[in-house]
Amino acid sequence: HFDKAIAMDNSLAQINKDVLTEKEMDGPKADISRPTIEYTDGVKLNQLVTKNEMGALDDLFTEKVDIDKKTYFRKLEYPQSKILINDMPFNETFTFFHITNPGYSGMTKRSIAVGASNEDVIKAYGPPQSTLELTNAHYMHYNRQRLVFVINNGKVIKWCYYRDENSL
């Protein structure tokens, strides 16, 4: 069917045929893959979000900080990372942040480790969707992966995955 359409000068048919036959194509490639599930300290963040919804994490928290009676943080400690859960009871929402400690010995699914360069991150994940420059660090945000890299002096010093009940 593609050949018929190609014969009629349908360029989309040619592109579809090339994709299906895995022909190498010119030009930039978009990341259309499903986001990879990342692990830090062997913890799957999506599973923790589900356990939180069932109340199964309530006894594991090492600390709870009440901000203004409308929002608070709970903290779980792991050997080389921590999880902060931002609870907002007034609208019954929450966000999980899994943050590596400086010196974390693991890597992301795309082989980025503490000490990797800013260029290494871009090579592995592409250009960030947004960046934030502060006096102490540069933040590179990857919305699709729900991932933020913290860069200091051109090197990764830590990273953070985040999830909420809407991002599972």
Side-chain angles (χ1 to χ4, degrees):
H1 298 286
F2 287 116
D3 292 329
K4 275 186 181 180
I6 292 167
M8 296 170 60
D9 291 326
N10 184 328
S11 59
L12 183 57
Q14 183 64 59
I15 292 170
N16 286 333
K17 182 178 179 181
D18 291 348
V19 168
L20 289 172
T21 59
E22 297 181 5
K23 179 181 176 190
E24 188 65 32
M25 298 188 328
D26 295 331
K29 295 176 177 52
D31 181 6
I32 58 171
S33 61
R34 292 182 63 191
T36 56
I37 295 179
E38 303 271 0
Y39 303 89
T40 301
D41 271 347
V43 176
K44 296 179 185 177
L45 204 51
N46 288 354
Q47 289 178 347
L48 281 181
V49 173
T50 302
K51 286 181 181 178
N52 184 63
E53 290 174 336
M54 299 182 319
L57 299 179
D58 294 344
D59 296 335
L60 302 177
F61 296 104
T62 56
E63 192 175 337
K64 180 178 174 182
V65 179
D66 209 336
I67 306 292
D68 58 8
K69 304 292 183 212
K70 294 181 185 171
T71 198
Y72 59 91
F73 283 93
R74 294 178 288 159
K75 184 163 86 172
L76 290 167
E77 294 281 348
Y78 288 92
Q80 295 189 53
S81 64
K82 63 183 159 272
I83 293 178
L84 297 177
I85 304 172
N86 176 224
D87 290 293
M88 292 164 279
F90 63 92
N91 63 359
E92 298 181 353
T93 62
F94 57 85
T95 305
F96 277 64
F97 300 92
H98 197 164
I99 307 163
T100 61
N101 294 337
Y104 179 71
S105 62
M107 290 198 274
T108 69
K109 284 283 190 183
R110 297 186 186 181
S111 300
I112 298 298
V114 169
S117 71
N118 187 38
E119 293 79 19
D120 292 336
V121 173
I122 293 171
K123 191 176 192 179
Y125 287 90
Q129 278 73 46
S130 61
T131 59
L132 177 63
E133 190 73 43
L134 298 177
T135 56
N136 63 340
H138 175 79
Y139 295 81
M140 298 172 65
H141 177 235
Y142 291 87
N143 189 48
R144 180 170 172 74
Q145 290 82 11
R146 296 179 184 88
L147 172 63
V148 176
F149 287 98
V150 182
I151 311 289
N152 192 352
N153 295 322
K155 302 286 183 188
V156 172
I157 59 171
K158 59 184 169 180
W159 61 87
C160 170
Y161 298 107
Y162 62 92
R163 299 285 186 277
D164 58 32
E165 68 270 25
N166 298 318
S167 64
L168 294 177

